[in-house]
Amino acid sequence: MDRITCTVLLLVAVGCCTASRWSLAKPPQEKRSTPPAVQVDMRNVMYHCTDQLAIHIRQLQGVVLPTKRAGLPVFDDVQSFTLAIHFAEIAISTEALSHLLNHYVFAAPDAPIKEVTVTTVDNSVKVQGKLHAKGDLPFETEGTAVATPEGHIRIHTRKVTVAQVSVKGLMDLLGLKSAQLINTDKVRGVRLEGNDLILDPALLLPPPHIAGRVTDVQIAGEHIVQVFGNRPKADAVHQRSGNYMAYRGGQLRFGNLTISDADVVLIDMDPQDPFDFSLAHYKEQLVAGYTQTTPDFGLRVFMRDFNKVQNSPPPPQRGTLSRQQVVPPR
């Protein structure tokens, strides 16, 4: 065999071995990477969990995470994402909390507590209702609200009255606790620990789900204010005026529109009061407003408040898309 033939065969053999090694190894560009999360920033938003139930998000910073590994957040599917809170101040009125407990938490026919009413007295929280598991006996508790080390809300009970008779002293004397008398094992987001009521905000509210650690609880008039996480430094927060919900980075979808590297801001058309927003009715709010684009193709959606949409006249035709500089409505 001549030298040229040997050289050709050697090159072919080396090439085959090299190709074989490359076929077994994945090229670096084929490795799957986790897409970036959608950053969310909210200010002065009255967020509707249901048509009748709303919480006041004074401010919030966090991320929107898809619940499925290969999925993305979809506004039209409240089960498709979780709102992971880094910092927030969220207020819920005692009326809204009462509605939440009656129509969502203790809504089952066999729930141990019924007809719940929550009120505030100075810095205390008063809970009234009926012990359904004990023949609908009326009860009343009063205590202070604090954050637990686990990030939940504890209503530390100082007073317990059943059928208008103070029983906490008697229960202490007998070594009994409310948790021994009332079974909350099947109740979502609420449990009894001794005589104290423990609320888990992550499980308490209807979806979309939230994840976050309560670090402080404050009483402000007829509202209970929950503080999540630690307040960020001023230079770490994007400063924007008005009432809004801003989404940046990552992918999200609403309607037939899928956005990559999102830059979407939902803006209150009437900043004189909180931005009343309902995820279940965002399309109606969208139709009642208008949309503009920024020079960098960001989306600015000016929306009418949910509580004003039903009685509002048709919006004027102002041009839904524009590449001009966005100027908020006067």
Side-chain angles (χ1 to χ4, degrees):
M1 187 178 295
D2 58 34
R3 181 179 299 176
I4 295 177
T5 302
C6 290
T7 302
V8 172
L9 291 175
L10 180 61
L11 290 174
V12 171
V14 172
C16 289
C17 292
T18 304
S20 178
R21 288 199 303 270
W22 277 107
S23 66
L24 294 175
K26 287 186 177 181
Q29 62 269 24
E30 291 184 5
K31 293 181 179 179
R32 299 181 63 180
S33 59
T34 302
V38 178
Q39 305 290 322
V40 61
D41 176 24
M42 301 185 188
R43 176 178 172 181
N44 199 21
V45 177
M46 192 64 69
Y47 193 97
H48 280 264
C49 304
T50 68
D51 288 1
Q52 297 78 28
L53 173 65
I55 58 176
H56 185 194
I57 301 176
R58 296 179 175 180
Q59 54 182 320
L60 182 149
Q61 289 88 43
V63 294
V64 180
L65 302 174
T67 52
K68 296 181 180 179
R69 185 174 180 181
L72 69 159
V74 180
F75 274 15
D76 303 86
D77 180 6
V78 294
Q79 301 287 355
S80 69
F81 62 93
T82 295
L83 177 59
I85 301 174
H86 295 162
F87 171 76
E89 289 182 358
I90 300 176
I92 183 169
S93 69
T94 53
E95 181 181 1
L97 181 55
S98 301
H99 179 89
L100 174 66
L101 294 173
N102 285 314
H103 294 88
Y104 188 72
V105 177
F106 296 117
D110 60 346
I113 299 174
K114 293 289 185 179
E115 300 180 30
V116 180
T117 301
V118 181
T119 55
T120 56
V121 181
D122 297 327
N123 291 323
S124 298
V125 178
K126 182 183 291 186
V127 180
Q128 297 171 297
K130 292 183 178 180
L131 300 174
H132 185 60
K134 305 297 179 183
D136 288 334
L137 281 173
F139 76 92
E140 178 181 307
T141 69
E142 186 174 331
T144 54
V146 296
T148 71
E150 298 79 19
H152 300 160
I153 300 172
R154 177 188 296 272
I155 300 180
H156 182 60
T157 304
R158 297 192 307 262
K159 177 183 177 182
V160 179
T161 301
V162 177
Q164 299 183 342
V165 177
S166 180
V167 297
K168 188 176 186 302
L170 178 61
M171 291 171 63
D172 291 343
L173 181 64
L174 297 176
L176 295 175
K177 301 294 182 182
S178 300
Q180 297 174 267
L181 304 178
I182 304 173
N183 184 8
T184 57
D185 290 345
K186 298 181 180 180
V187 180
R188 179 181 176 87
V190 176
R191 75 177 190 275
L192 281 167
E193 193 172 279
N195 291 319
D196 296 350
L197 191 66
I198 310 295
L199 307 177
D200 183 355
L203 299 176
L204 202 62
L205 294 170
H209 305 292
I210 65 172
R213 182 173 175 270
V214 177
T215 53
D216 191 20
V217 184
Q218 305 165 2
I219 305 299
E222 297 181 352
H223 290 79
I224 300 174
V225 182
Q226 308 158 71
V227 179
F228 290 79
N230 300 312
R231 186 181 298 274
K233 296 180 181 179
D235 57 0
V237 179
H238 179 78
Q239 299 296 326
R240 176 183 293 276
S241 61
N243 314 324
Y244 62 87
M245 303 168 64
Y247 301 88
R248 291 184 177 84
Q251 286 187 312
L252 60 83
R253 179 187 300 161
F254 58 92
N256 295 325
L257 185 63
T258 300
I259 302 178
S260 298
D261 192 18
D263 178 12
V264 180
V265 185
L266 312 183
I267 303 170
D268 187 6
M269 290 177 62
D270 184 6
Q272 302 304 314
D273 52 13
F275 182 15
D276 199 64
F277 178 80
S278 170
L279 193 59
H281 298 276
Y282 83 89
K283 294 178 183 178
E284 300 164 36
Q285 295 183 250
L286 181 62
V287 170
Y290 61 97
T291 304
Q292 293 180 336
T293 58
T294 69
D296 296 328
F297 295 100
L299 200 59
R300 303 296 179 260
V301 184
F302 295 88
M303 304 182 77
R304 195 172 299 279
D305 289 327
F306 170 61
N307 56 9
K308 301 171 185 175
V309 163
Q310 303 299 327
N311 300 318
S312 63
Q317 298 299 317
R318 302 184 62 172
T320 56
L321 292 177
S322 171
R323 291 188 59 182
Q324 304 300 316
Q325 182 68 35
V326 174
V327 179
R330 295 180 179 177

